[in-house]
Amino acid sequence: QVQLVESGGGLVQTWGSLRLSCAASGRSFSRDGMGWFRQAPGKEREFVAAISWSGSTTTYADSVKGRFTISRDNDKNTAYLQMRSVKPEDTAVYYCAANAITGSYLYRAESKYDYWGQGTQVTVSS
């Protein structure tokens, strides 16, 4: 069974840091592009960051650029989202996703991703 499982969420204070992990199982994701999305209460899910299969290229939403870093370890079949200088507006459920078809490209659209995790809650207290 193919699965993406996020972990590392929790409660963090404003300007604090948190690292999310996305562990893949059931198949190798080493050739997949990976993405992180988030959904705040009452809002639609939005793009956060994406990374190519090799890790050589990344892209970020303007709202997190300079504060968040996406990375991956293909040997561990795991992707990461390092969050720094978090703000209350970063509070959301964070999802990781895998694009199995064109891993070299970076996509911001949810429709380009084939596999999704269940999400991990991040709450930033002021």
Side-chain angles (χ1 to χ4, degrees):
Q1 182 180 1
V2 177
Q3 275 191 317
L4 295 176
V5 179
E6 301 94 339
S7 62
L11 179 64
V12 59
Q13 292 186 331
T14 300
W15 304 121
S17 297
L18 207 61
R19 189 176 82 156
L20 306 183
S21 298
C22 172
S25 62
R27 60 179 282 274
S28 173
F29 284 77
S30 62
R31 302 293 289 187
D32 292 10
M34 300 296 293
W36 285 94
F37 292 76
R38 67 186 182 185
Q39 186 168 20
K43 295 187 177 181
E44 293 187 351
R45 189 156 58 184
E46 64 176 3
F47 169 79
V48 175
I51 188 168
S52 62
W53 72 267
S54 65
S56 61
T57 54
T58 58
T59 189
Y60 298 90
D62 288 345
S63 59
V64 306
K65 196 175 297 182
R67 299 188 298 119
F68 291 10
T69 302
I70 188 172
S71 62
R72 65 190 300 160
D73 185 336
N74 287 341
D75 290 337
K76 295 182 178 179
N77 231 16
T78 301
Y80 305 95
L81 184 69
Q82 177 69 53
M83 306 169 62
R84 297 184 177 90
S85 300
V86 297
K87 307 173 183 180
E89 51 264 43
D90 294 320
T91 294
V93 177
Y94 283 73
Y95 300 89
C96 69
N99 161 29
I101 306 301
T102 49
S104 297
Y105 294 92
L106 304 174
Y107 293 112
R108 296 175 178 239
E110 293 183 40
S111 61
K112 294 295 187 180
Y113 292 85
D114 308 290
Y115 301 99
W116 290 83
Q118 293 300 306
T120 185
Q121 175 71 47
V122 173
T123 303
V124 182
S125 63
S126 57

